[in-house]
Amino acid sequence: MSLGLPLACSTLLMSISSMISNRMMIGYGAAALAAQGVAGKIGMLLSMLAMGICMGMQPAISFNCGRGSRERMNLIIRNTGIFTAVMGTVLTLICFYARNHIIAVFINNRQVISYGQVMVIASIITGPFYGIYQLCQTFLQSTGKASYATLVALLDKGLFYLPVLLLMEHFFGLYGIAFAGAATLVFSLTAGIFFSLRWNRSMQPAVCCFPDEAAENGSLT
């Protein structure tokens, strides 16, 4: 349950935050809300791919942590981070230059396309960095530090997002709502990296070792 809690919190808070942002966006008209919906679907292409890759690495991280192969575990994390950053950057550039055509696939409305040109940028601008955030979550869960992973999830879609959303809407209107998620990721990514590095430095050999190996190393009494 503890390992599943971070994803559960993230999913629940994501639904709540989406409802709040949609309620705020409808105040600017149906076209603005439609554009946000289309932009969100395009942004999901990047975020879901990054999430899938990082979650797919969870068994490899857990296995190498369990057998005490810290160097190989860190190598897997580093290579995955580089891959998701490169992939996210390439997909972000493709979506940026083809955003008008992609929006037109969903809906052919001039006003929606006009709003969507900016909102798609807000949705995809985090593409190069979202995989790093998700990798931090995967690392914390894979190595048994569910408390840190849950805290980062709560900060991301709760304590960080809602204040940023209200402030951005107050100062920048509908485009502030659109860019609130990107602004929040700056804080969430910082928190994820901080807790991941802190946990990685403080991990004892017994945490990343089978009990018999740890006993041989004198880590367990």
Side-chain angles (χ1 to χ4, degrees):
M1 287 184 64
S2 64
L3 291 177
L5 191 59
L7 184 58
C9 291
S10 180
T11 303
L12 178 61
L13 290 173
M14 186 181 299
S15 299
I16 295 173
S17 61
S18 295
M19 287 189 293
I20 295 173
S21 64
N22 287 340
R23 292 278 295 184
M24 295 172 66
M25 187 63 76
I26 195 63
Y28 295 92
L33 181 61
Q36 179 175 257
V38 172
K41 295 296 185 293
I42 297 172
M44 283 180 63
L45 171 66
L46 280 69
S47 61
M48 292 298 105
L49 279 173
M51 181 182 295
I53 292 169
C54 293
M55 293 181 69
M57 288 296 103
Q58 187 164 340
I61 296 172
S62 295
F63 173 77
N64 284 282
C65 174
R67 72 191 301 267
S69 301
R70 293 283 296 276
E71 290 186 8
R72 182 167 177 78
M73 180 190 73
N74 290 331
L75 179 64
I76 291 171
I77 293 171
R78 182 169 65 251
N79 289 343
T80 304
I82 294 172
F83 178 76
T84 56
V86 172
M87 181 196 69
T89 301
V90 172
L91 290 176
T92 297
L93 292 174
I94 293 173
C95 291
F96 174 77
Y97 287 109
R99 63 188 185 279
N100 290 350
H101 301 290
I102 298 174
I103 296 170
V105 171
F106 288 92
I107 185 169
N108 191 16
N109 180 285
R110 183 172 298 177
Q111 190 177 14
V112 173
I113 294 175
S114 177
Y115 283 135
Q117 289 176 335
V118 179
M119 292 185 181
V120 167
I121 296 174
S123 183
I124 65 175
I125 197 172
T126 60
F129 315 104
Y130 184 80
I132 306 298
Y133 165 77
Q134 191 61 47
L135 184 60
C136 291
Q137 287 285 68
T138 301
F139 163 71
L140 292 171
Q141 290 181 257
S142 301
T143 55
K145 197 61 174 177
S147 59
Y148 279 0
T150 303
L151 176 60
V152 173
L154 292 174
L155 291 174
D156 179 40
K157 296 302 180 185
L159 298 180
F160 286 156
Y161 180 74
L162 294 179
V164 169
L165 176 65
L166 295 174
L167 287 173
M168 294 283 285
E169 193 273 339
H170 176 75
F171 288 106
F172 304 106
L174 67 93
Y175 292 121
I177 299 174
F179 278 91
T184 302
L185 187 65
V186 175
F187 301 103
S188 304
L189 181 59
T190 302
I193 293 174
F194 171 78
F195 285 115
S196 294
L197 292 176
R198 180 178 180 179
W199 173 235
N200 197 14
R201 286 195 299 264
S202 63
M203 288 168 66
Q204 300 296 321
V207 175
C208 266
C209 229
F210 287 127
D212 54 344
E213 294 178 353
E216 292 176 0
N217 295 331
S219 300
L220 295 178
T221 57

